[in-house]
Amino acid sequence: MSRLTIQIPGLDLKNPIMPASGCFGFGREYAQLYDLSKLGAIMIKATTVETRAGNPTPRVAETAAGMLNAIGLQNPGIEKVMNEELKFLEDYDVPIIANVAGTETADYVEVARRISAAPNVKALELNISCPNVKCGGIQFGTDPATARELVKAVKAVSEVPVYVKLSPNVTNIVDIALAVEAGGADGITMINTLVGMRLDERTGKPVIANGTGGLSGPAVKPVAIRMVYEVYKAVNIPIIGMGGVTEAQDVIDFMSAGASAVAVGTANFVDHFVCPNIIEELPAKLDALGVEHITEIIGRSHR
Amino acid sequence: MIRQEKMTVVSQKQIATNIFELTLHGELVQEMTPGQFVHVKVSDSLEPLLRRPISIANIDKDNNEFTMIYRAEGRGTKVLATNREGQQVNVLGPIGNGFPVDAVQEGGTALLVGGGIGVPPLHELAKQLNARGVKTIHVLGFQTEDVCFYEDEFSALGETHYVTVDGSKGTKGFVTTVLESHAPAFDVFYSCGPLPMLRALEGFYPEKEGYLSFEERMGCGIGACFACVCKTTDQVEKDYVKVCSDGPVFPKGTVAL
């Protein structure tokens, strides 16, 4: 397994594969299916200061090779996440990346300060890109100056490295990437979902109760790859890439574009064992490429 | 315990208009209880992408076989309907908490009320209740006669009333029409079907013990994605429940209807 190790700020990864935030809850359900210690890391569900009830149902809708979701950051709040969910995950030998969300800067700072002190939280993922809540993300993720200031404020209190999750719903994602790097971000995770809509065939009205939802799944992969490619050229901090990963080849593609690690989202719903399966398939992929260690392929599309 | 298994198609039969009965063989049958469901990947391709939650209509542990009855209406279920004997189907299951079979004492009577594609899980429930010495009364509602199924199967297990919206079979109207005119005596009711039916039933028997099976659009099917949450009533301590992992069956009065 030593061929798959990755070191990026705060994270000493056994392998570059991790479930993406929002697609894996807090790990409990998947822990019934396989040993979570197999994973490179776990990006846990977005956590806010207060308990959030989320959006009305229906919250998901299938689309061509993808799905829309508008869960609305439902979570039990920082107190319970710290005392129950992170405690539960301490039984596993896997670093946790805590996804931090909020309505205003003070919320992000509060969650970041507290959650970064948990013993198994090795990095934060700032959620400035959730498209499904009125307040709580996207307004921070679409304006470079606002994004930079938020990262600065969180960096000032966090005990662990801070990664920032970028939204693809912007005119120029490189501008935002440069802004968060200037704000002191230790890394970038990308991409969050693309805002989309599906209409009901009979009524002509949106299927998702929220109207719009975030598009994910294989359909978004080309967009995500393009954006990782562009951001890799522009910044000097590592990228964790995601968007439509369903098999080992997708991981190779994201790393070739410049990602140092790769998160798997929607595919966890389709094949609940997809993460351990990909980890198992990767060495054969490296053999086929004539590569000894997986780090050798990072950014190879640029060489 | 939830497992993923490539199960083998034993048979696939059309039993009413667009209604199919699919029997699968595999080990995870041993874990099944009535009212649980399976999460099915209907194709190996990315289209359609998501799994389909489908209820369990018959459990045959002696032969490692179970049956699901589904309506081939959307993209996924239409693909599922093309499966033939010997083919393999990727099944995750069994999932969720089913109907409590032991809620009725031996010698007691259970009222089973189903609507449309909510009828299938009641069949295995009726079988297991009968096996425990519980009398079952079935009230089954459908849109029209051509989508009705399992009349002989239910009749063999107990008193069975059919009701159709257009009156083409049985009583014309809704399941409540039958319940009003017949007023059956029973101890516990069980129901699965559309929300208005569950709501009507809960209002109909405020003093009775009852269990309702819900349906909601799902993502993961195991409780991780929070897609299928329902608000709870004031009587319940939790703010919400997940249909997939906390349900699909809940005691009456749990979910805000």
PDB file of all heavy atoms in Angstrom, chain A residues 231-258:
ATOM      1  N   VAL A 231      -6.995  25.526 -12.041  1.00  0.00           N
ATOM      2  CA  VAL A 231      -6.583  26.004 -10.719  1.00  0.00           C
ATOM      3  C   VAL A 231      -5.177  25.509 -10.391  1.00  0.00           C
ATOM      4  O   VAL A 231      -4.365  26.234  -9.806  1.00  0.00           O
ATOM      5  CB  VAL A 231      -7.620  25.590  -9.642  1.00  0.00           C
ATOM      6  CG1 VAL A 231      -7.085  25.817  -8.233  1.00  0.00           C
ATOM      7  CG2 VAL A 231      -8.921  26.349  -9.853  1.00  0.00           C
ATOM      8  N   TYR A 232      -4.861  24.284 -10.805  1.00  0.00           N
ATOM      9  CA  TYR A 232      -3.522  23.729 -10.545  1.00  0.00           C
ATOM     10  C   TYR A 232      -2.441  24.626 -11.144  1.00  0.00           C
ATOM     11  O   TYR A 232      -1.388  24.835 -10.540  1.00  0.00           O
ATOM     12  CB  TYR A 232      -3.430  22.326 -11.136  1.00  0.00           C
ATOM     13  CG  TYR A 232      -2.075  21.666 -10.967  1.00  0.00           C
ATOM     14  CD1 TYR A 232      -1.711  21.054  -9.759  1.00  0.00           C
ATOM     15  CD2 TYR A 232      -1.160  21.633 -12.016  1.00  0.00           C
ATOM     16  CE1 TYR A 232      -0.471  20.442  -9.610  1.00  0.00           C
ATOM     17  CE2 TYR A 232       0.083  21.020 -11.875  1.00  0.00           C
ATOM     18  CZ  TYR A 232       0.414  20.424 -10.679  1.00  0.00           C
ATOM     19  OH  TYR A 232       1.637  19.817 -10.536  1.00  0.00           O
ATOM     20  N   LYS A 233      -2.739  25.165 -12.315  1.00  0.00           N
ATOM     21  CA  LYS A 233      -1.760  26.035 -12.985  1.00  0.00           C
ATOM     22  C   LYS A 233      -1.552  27.336 -12.212  1.00  0.00           C
ATOM     23  O   LYS A 233      -0.478  27.926 -12.269  1.00  0.00           O
ATOM     24  CB  LYS A 233      -2.259  26.393 -14.403  1.00  0.00           C
ATOM     25  CG  LYS A 233      -1.939  25.325 -15.428  1.00  0.00           C
ATOM     26  CD  LYS A 233      -2.051  25.861 -16.851  1.00  0.00           C
ATOM     27  CE  LYS A 233      -3.482  26.255 -17.187  1.00  0.00           C
ATOM     28  NZ  LYS A 233      -3.680  26.535 -18.616  1.00  0.00           N
ATOM     29  N   ALA A 234      -2.595  27.756 -11.509  1.00  0.00           N
ATOM     30  CA  ALA A 234      -2.576  29.090 -10.917  1.00  0.00           C
ATOM     31  C   ALA A 234      -2.093  29.144  -9.473  1.00  0.00           C
ATOM     32  O   ALA A 234      -1.569  30.167  -9.034  1.00  0.00           O
ATOM     33  CB  ALA A 234      -3.976  29.703 -11.001  1.00  0.00           C
ATOM     34  N   VAL A 235      -2.268  28.059  -8.716  1.00  0.00           N
ATOM     35  CA  VAL A 235      -1.961  28.138  -7.282  1.00  0.00           C
ATOM     36  C   VAL A 235      -0.790  27.216  -6.912  1.00  0.00           C
ATOM     37  O   VAL A 235      -0.406  26.336  -7.688  1.00  0.00           O
ATOM     38  CB  VAL A 235      -3.186  27.769  -6.411  1.00  0.00           C
ATOM     39  CG1 VAL A 235      -4.371  28.683  -6.708  1.00  0.00           C
ATOM     40  CG2 VAL A 235      -3.575  26.300  -6.591  1.00  0.00           C
ATOM     41  N   ASN A 236      -0.273  27.452  -5.716  1.00  0.00           N
ATOM     42  CA  ASN A 236       0.837  26.627  -5.223  1.00  0.00           C
ATOM     43  C   ASN A 236       0.444  25.756  -4.037  1.00  0.00           C
ATOM     44  O   ASN A 236       1.292  25.203  -3.356  1.00  0.00           O
ATOM     45  CB  ASN A 236       2.016  27.527  -4.832  1.00  0.00           C
ATOM     46  CG  ASN A 236       2.598  28.200  -6.049  1.00  0.00           C
ATOM     47  OD1 ASN A 236       2.990  27.534  -7.016  1.00  0.00           O
ATOM     48  ND2 ASN A 236       2.642  29.521  -6.035  1.00  0.00           N
ATOM     49  N   ILE A 237      -0.840  25.688  -3.760  1.00  0.00           N
ATOM     50  CA  ILE A 237      -1.309  24.837  -2.663  1.00  0.00           C
ATOM     51  C   ILE A 237      -1.991  23.609  -3.261  1.00  0.00           C
ATOM     52  O   ILE A 237      -2.475  23.656  -4.392  1.00  0.00           O
ATOM     53  CB  ILE A 237      -2.271  25.615  -1.713  1.00  0.00           C
ATOM     54  CG1 ILE A 237      -3.360  26.338  -2.524  1.00  0.00           C
ATOM     55  CG2 ILE A 237      -1.483  26.589  -0.846  1.00  0.00           C
ATOM     56  CD1 ILE A 237      -4.384  27.081  -1.672  1.00  0.00           C
ATOM     57  N   PRO A 238      -1.991  22.492  -2.523  1.00  0.00           N
ATOM     58  CA  PRO A 238      -2.553  21.261  -3.092  1.00  0.00           C
ATOM     59  C   PRO A 238      -4.072  21.312  -3.284  1.00  0.00           C
ATOM     60  O   PRO A 238      -4.771  22.060  -2.605  1.00  0.00           O
ATOM     61  CB  PRO A 238      -2.173  20.185  -2.071  1.00  0.00           C
ATOM     62  CG  PRO A 238      -1.907  20.915  -0.815  1.00  0.00           C
ATOM     63  CD  PRO A 238      -1.422  22.277  -1.186  1.00  0.00           C
ATOM     64  N   ILE A 239      -4.508  20.473  -4.206  1.00  0.00           N
ATOM     65  CA  ILE A 239      -5.932  20.394  -4.537  1.00  0.00           C
ATOM     66  C   ILE A 239      -6.434  18.983  -4.242  1.00  0.00           C
ATOM     67  O   ILE A 239      -5.777  18.001  -4.586  1.00  0.00           O
ATOM     68  CB  ILE A 239      -6.152  20.684  -6.042  1.00  0.00           C
ATOM     69  CG1 ILE A 239      -5.682  22.092  -6.397  1.00  0.00           C
ATOM     70  CG2 ILE A 239      -7.620  20.477  -6.434  1.00  0.00           C
ATOM     71  CD1 ILE A 239      -5.526  22.321  -7.906  1.00  0.00           C
ATOM     72  N   ILE A 240      -7.577  18.892  -3.584  1.00  0.00           N
ATOM     73  CA  ILE A 240      -8.284  17.612  -3.498  1.00  0.00           C
ATOM     74  C   ILE A 240      -9.421  17.709  -4.509  1.00  0.00           C
ATOM     75  O   ILE A 240     -10.294  18.572  -4.395  1.00  0.00           O
ATOM     76  CB  ILE A 240      -8.819  17.352  -2.072  1.00  0.00           C
ATOM     77  CG1 ILE A 240      -7.665  17.323  -1.059  1.00  0.00           C
ATOM     78  CG2 ILE A 240      -9.600  16.021  -2.037  1.00  0.00           C
ATOM     79  CD1 ILE A 240      -8.089  17.175   0.398  1.00  0.00           C
ATOM     80  N   GLY A 241      -9.368  16.850  -5.522  1.00  0.00           N
ATOM     81  CA  GLY A 241     -10.320  16.953  -6.622  1.00  0.00           C
ATOM     82  C   GLY A 241     -11.523  16.049  -6.431  1.00  0.00           C
ATOM     83  O   GLY A 241     -11.423  14.977  -5.834  1.00  0.00           O
ATOM     84  N   MET A 242     -12.658  16.488  -6.947  1.00  0.00           N
ATOM     85  CA  MET A 242     -13.867  15.653  -6.888  1.00  0.00           C
ATOM     86  C   MET A 242     -14.884  16.141  -7.904  1.00  0.00           C
ATOM     87  O   MET A 242     -14.827  17.289  -8.352  1.00  0.00           O
ATOM     88  CB  MET A 242     -14.465  15.690  -5.492  1.00  0.00           C
ATOM     89  CG  MET A 242     -15.071  17.028  -5.104  1.00  0.00           C
ATOM     90  SD  MET A 242     -15.309  17.204  -3.341  1.00  0.00           S
ATOM     91  CE  MET A 242     -13.668  17.615  -2.801  1.00  0.00           C
ATOM     92  N   GLY A 243     -15.792  15.238  -8.239  1.00  0.00           N
ATOM     93  CA  GLY A 243     -16.841  15.552  -9.207  1.00  0.00           C
ATOM     94  C   GLY A 243     -16.985  14.397 -10.176  1.00  0.00           C
ATOM     95  O   GLY A 243     -16.241  14.293 -11.145  1.00  0.00           O
ATOM     96  N   GLY A 244     -17.896  13.489  -9.870  1.00  0.00           N
ATOM     97  CA  GLY A 244     -18.186  12.389 -10.796  1.00  0.00           C
ATOM     98  C   GLY A 244     -17.224  11.232 -10.760  1.00  0.00           C
ATOM     99  O   GLY A 244     -17.168  10.447 -11.712  1.00  0.00           O
ATOM    100  N   VAL A 245     -16.484  11.078  -9.679  1.00  0.00           N
ATOM    101  CA  VAL A 245     -15.568   9.935  -9.586  1.00  0.00           C
ATOM    102  C   VAL A 245     -16.357   8.657  -9.292  1.00  0.00           C
ATOM    103  O   VAL A 245     -17.102   8.601  -8.316  1.00  0.00           O
ATOM    104  CB  VAL A 245     -14.519  10.156  -8.476  1.00  0.00           C
ATOM    105  CG1 VAL A 245     -13.646   8.922  -8.303  1.00  0.00           C
ATOM    106  CG2 VAL A 245     -13.665  11.370  -8.793  1.00  0.00           C
ATOM    107  N   THR A 246     -16.205   7.662 -10.155  1.00  0.00           N
ATOM    108  CA  THR A 246     -16.882   6.390  -9.904  1.00  0.00           C
ATOM    109  C   THR A 246     -15.936   5.198  -9.976  1.00  0.00           C
ATOM    110  O   THR A 246     -16.289   4.102  -9.566  1.00  0.00           O
ATOM    111  CB  THR A 246     -18.023   6.121 -10.919  1.00  0.00           C
ATOM    112  OG1 THR A 246     -17.443   5.969 -12.219  1.00  0.00           O
ATOM    113  CG2 THR A 246     -19.026   7.252 -10.961  1.00  0.00           C
ATOM    114  N   GLU A 247     -14.729   5.398 -10.515  1.00  0.00           N
ATOM    115  CA  GLU A 247     -13.803   4.266 -10.649  1.00  0.00           C
ATOM    116  C   GLU A 247     -12.363   4.765 -10.626  1.00  0.00           C
ATOM    117  O   GLU A 247     -12.110   5.975 -10.668  1.00  0.00           O
ATOM    118  CB  GLU A 247     -14.085   3.513 -11.947  1.00  0.00           C
ATOM    119  CG  GLU A 247     -13.971   4.397 -13.167  1.00  0.00           C
ATOM    120  CD  GLU A 247     -14.305   3.672 -14.465  1.00  0.00           C
ATOM    121  OE1 GLU A 247     -14.917   2.600 -14.409  1.00  0.00           O
ATOM    122  OE2 GLU A 247     -13.915   4.198 -15.518  1.00  0.00           O
ATOM    123  N   ALA A 248     -11.416   3.818 -10.585  1.00  0.00           N
ATOM    124  CA  ALA A 248     -10.005   4.166 -10.445  1.00  0.00           C
ATOM    125  C   ALA A 248      -9.523   5.085 -11.570  1.00  0.00           C
ATOM    126  O   ALA A 248      -8.718   5.995 -11.337  1.00  0.00           O
ATOM    127  CB  ALA A 248      -9.153   2.897 -10.392  1.00  0.00           C
ATOM    128  N   GLN A 249     -10.011   4.882 -12.779  1.00  0.00           N
ATOM    129  CA  GLN A 249      -9.563   5.741 -13.888  1.00  0.00           C
ATOM    130  C   GLN A 249      -9.898   7.207 -13.643  1.00  0.00           C
ATOM    131  O   GLN A 249      -9.138   8.097 -14.020  1.00  0.00           O
ATOM    132  CB  GLN A 249     -10.165   5.265 -15.217  1.00  0.00           C
ATOM    133  CG  GLN A 249      -9.665   6.046 -16.431  1.00  0.00           C
ATOM    134  CD  GLN A 249      -8.137   6.031 -16.556  1.00  0.00           C
ATOM    135  OE1 GLN A 249      -7.505   4.983 -16.457  1.00  0.00           O
ATOM    136  NE2 GLN A 249      -7.527   7.211 -16.738  1.00  0.00           N
ATOM    137  N   ASP A 250     -11.034   7.458 -12.999  1.00  0.00           N
ATOM    138  CA  ASP A 250     -11.403   8.846 -12.691  1.00  0.00           C
ATOM    139  C   ASP A 250     -10.387   9.465 -11.729  1.00  0.00           C
ATOM    140  O   ASP A 250     -10.069  10.650 -11.829  1.00  0.00           O
ATOM    141  CB  ASP A 250     -12.801   8.896 -12.055  1.00  0.00           C
ATOM    142  CG  ASP A 250     -13.877   8.367 -12.989  1.00  0.00           C
ATOM    143  OD1 ASP A 250     -13.775   8.592 -14.204  1.00  0.00           O
ATOM    144  OD2 ASP A 250     -14.819   7.708 -12.495  1.00  0.00           O
ATOM    145  N   VAL A 251      -9.900   8.668 -10.806  1.00  0.00           N
ATOM    146  CA  VAL A 251      -8.894   9.152  -9.853  1.00  0.00           C
ATOM    147  C   VAL A 251      -7.614   9.517 -10.607  1.00  0.00           C
ATOM    148  O   VAL A 251      -7.023  10.582 -10.377  1.00  0.00           O
ATOM    149  CB  VAL A 251      -8.597   8.065  -8.786  1.00  0.00           C
ATOM    150  CG1 VAL A 251      -7.465   8.496  -7.871  1.00  0.00           C
ATOM    151  CG2 VAL A 251      -9.866   7.769  -7.990  1.00  0.00           C
ATOM    152  N   ILE A 252      -7.210   8.645 -11.517  1.00  0.00           N
ATOM    153  CA  ILE A 252      -6.023   8.926 -12.333  1.00  0.00           C
ATOM    154  C   ILE A 252      -6.217  10.236 -13.107  1.00  0.00           C
ATOM    155  O   ILE A 252      -5.311  11.073 -13.183  1.00  0.00           O
ATOM    156  CB  ILE A 252      -5.760   7.757 -13.330  1.00  0.00           C
ATOM    157  CG1 ILE A 252      -5.576   6.422 -12.577  1.00  0.00           C
ATOM    158  CG2 ILE A 252      -4.578   8.065 -14.250  1.00  0.00           C
ATOM    159  CD1 ILE A 252      -4.354   6.322 -11.725  1.00  0.00           C
ATOM    160  N   ASP A 253      -7.412  10.424 -13.646  1.00  0.00           N
ATOM    161  CA  ASP A 253      -7.695  11.643 -14.416  1.00  0.00           C
ATOM    162  C   ASP A 253      -7.578  12.892 -13.539  1.00  0.00           C
ATOM    163  O   ASP A 253      -6.960  13.882 -13.935  1.00  0.00           O
ATOM    164  CB  ASP A 253      -9.108  11.581 -15.023  1.00  0.00           C
ATOM    165  CG  ASP A 253      -9.221  10.542 -16.118  1.00  0.00           C
ATOM    166  OD1 ASP A 253      -8.170  10.019 -16.562  1.00  0.00           O
ATOM    167  OD2 ASP A 253     -10.363  10.228 -16.534  1.00  0.00           O
ATOM    168  N   PHE A 254      -8.196  12.857 -12.366  1.00  0.00           N
ATOM    169  CA  PHE A 254      -8.137  14.037 -11.485  1.00  0.00           C
ATOM    170  C   PHE A 254      -6.701  14.324 -11.052  1.00  0.00           C
ATOM    171  O   PHE A 254      -6.285  15.485 -11.004  1.00  0.00           O
ATOM    172  CB  PHE A 254      -9.037  13.833 -10.253  1.00  0.00           C
ATOM    173  CG  PHE A 254     -10.430  14.340 -10.463  1.00  0.00           C
ATOM    174  CD1 PHE A 254     -11.440  13.494 -10.897  1.00  0.00           C
ATOM    175  CD2 PHE A 254     -10.748  15.673 -10.240  1.00  0.00           C
ATOM    176  CE1 PHE A 254     -12.732  13.961 -11.116  1.00  0.00           C
ATOM    177  CE2 PHE A 254     -12.035  16.159 -10.449  1.00  0.00           C
ATOM    178  CZ  PHE A 254     -13.031  15.289 -10.892  1.00  0.00           C
ATOM    179  N   MET A 255      -5.950  13.272 -10.756  1.00  0.00           N
ATOM    180  CA  MET A 255      -4.571  13.494 -10.309  1.00  0.00           C
ATOM    181  C   MET A 255      -3.702  13.976 -11.473  1.00  0.00           C
ATOM    182  O   MET A 255      -2.832  14.833 -11.300  1.00  0.00           O
ATOM    183  CB  MET A 255      -4.025  12.223  -9.648  1.00  0.00           C
ATOM    184  CG  MET A 255      -4.798  11.919  -8.352  1.00  0.00           C
ATOM    185  SD  MET A 255      -4.176  10.534  -7.378  1.00  0.00           S
ATOM    186  CE  MET A 255      -2.808  11.293  -6.524  1.00  0.00           C
ATOM    187  N   SER A 256      -3.981  13.481 -12.644  1.00  0.00           N
ATOM    188  CA  SER A 256      -3.250  13.955 -13.825  1.00  0.00           C
ATOM    189  C   SER A 256      -3.505  15.441 -14.047  1.00  0.00           C
ATOM    190  O   SER A 256      -2.609  16.193 -14.430  1.00  0.00           O
ATOM    191  CB  SER A 256      -3.684  13.180 -15.073  1.00  0.00           C
ATOM    192  OG  SER A 256      -3.418  11.799 -14.915  1.00  0.00           O
ATOM    193  N   ALA A 257      -4.723  15.879 -13.784  1.00  0.00           N
ATOM    194  CA  ALA A 257      -5.076  17.295 -13.953  1.00  0.00           C
ATOM    195  C   ALA A 257      -4.454  18.162 -12.868  1.00  0.00           C
ATOM    196  O   ALA A 257      -4.380  19.384 -13.019  1.00  0.00           O
ATOM    197  CB  ALA A 257      -6.589  17.458 -13.947  1.00  0.00           C
ATOM    198  N   GLY A 258      -4.030  17.530 -11.765  1.00  0.00           N
ATOM    199  CA  GLY A 258      -3.366  18.315 -10.735  1.00  0.00           C
ATOM    200  C   GLY A 258      -3.807  18.064  -9.303  1.00  0.00           C
ATOM    201  O   GLY A 258      -3.290  18.679  -8.379  1.00  0.00           O
TER     202      GLY A 258
END
